[in-house]
Amino acid sequence: MGKAYNVMAATCPSRVVLHRIGARWTVFAVNALEHGPMRFTELKAHIRGITPKALTETLRAMEADGLLVRTDLGGNPPHVEYALTDLGRSLLVPLRAVRQWAEAHVPDILAARERSGDPEPAT
Amino acid sequence: MGKAYNVMAATCPSRVVLHRIGARWTVFAVNALEHGPMRFTELKAHIRGITPKALTETLRAMEADGLLVRTDLGGNPPHVEYALTDLGRSLLVPLRAVRQWAEAHVPDILAARERSGDPEPAT
DNA sequence: AGATACCGGTATCGAATGTATACCGTCGCA
DNA sequence: TGCGACGGTATACATTCGATACCGGTATCT
């Protein structure tokens, strides 16, 4: 059988999945965990510009969706590790393609923006 | 030369590109235009649940980024067509992979949510 | 003893973004 | 005259986002 779900359907759960993937920081978190587990502070440093709140929310949501696991190793100072699950690792594949597309086409898009966004001299 | 851009950099333009891709409706618009140009109303009907405002904004942004072209054929009733550019079509490739991943893994994610989201009996 | 730093987060607040709904002008048609 | 098609806007509201500050507990430095 082929596609059991159709992203265009509005009532379709795949909408929800796509929404999570597009959720602003998910892509970065997945990419950051590509090479192994990381701690909260490591992630925060690696994903430049993310706030702790956003990071917490992203990680919680991804955990709820089974994309990663949170392991609290206790002790003090606290030690918490985040690692991709198999599901999360499988997502890595298509996301890597997207990232590469983004990195490859930055000049095209910036050029297009120059062209369209600039023509607006004041008054 | 390899990657000239690094998505993790925060100051890096590829951030902006990724942000546009993740922009909630962009994925659907690109997918909808996969098989040829469409009119505004067609798109609105095809992408179930999108509001005209959201559609307008999505299309304008994508046009500004050179992902699609808007052609006003004038006349009455108005006739406007939206079509992917080469750049937009190239984006189709990685996005198709993401869509397929989403459609394929819906059950996994829904199951994970059951498991984690349910444990919350009132009071 | 006191001050400070590390770690993994929360709390709070204002700004930005997204959504829902209603409406617009022009034309053709009955 | 009244209605619908088309391609959007306008308005009001809800949700989410981001910046900043702060917390508890321990270890370390002075």
Side-chain angles (χ1 to χ4, degrees), chain B residues 63-74:
Chain B
E63 191 191 6
D65 285 356
L67 295 175
L68 55 76
V69 280
R70 177 183 181 277
T71 311
D72 189 341
L73 304 177

Side-chain angles (χ1 to χ4, degrees), chain B residues 20-96:
Chain B
R20 165 81 54 248
I21 295 176
R24 175 123 213 165
W25 293 113
T26 306
V27 181
F28 300 103
V30 173
N31 272 310
L33 292 173
E34 177 170 3
H35 302 299
M38 277 200 187
R39 305 174 61 168
F40 189 89
T41 315
E42 277 180 294
L43 281 168
K44 190 156 61 73
H46 197 84
I47 308 173
R48 313 268 169 129
I50 196 173
T51 64
K53 186 188 170 200
L55 183 54
T56 301
E57 284 168 1
T58 302
L59 293 173
R60 294 277 192 274
M62 291 175 64
E63 191 191 6
D65 285 356
L67 295 175
L68 55 76
V69 280
R70 177 183 181 277
T71 311
D72 189 341
L73 304 177
N76 205 287
H79 191 157
V80 179
E81 275 194 350
Y82 294 91
L84 290 180
T85 59
D86 287 342
L87 184 61
R89 255 186 303 280
S90 76
L91 177 57
L92 200 48
V93 178
L95 284 199
R96 195 150 34 200

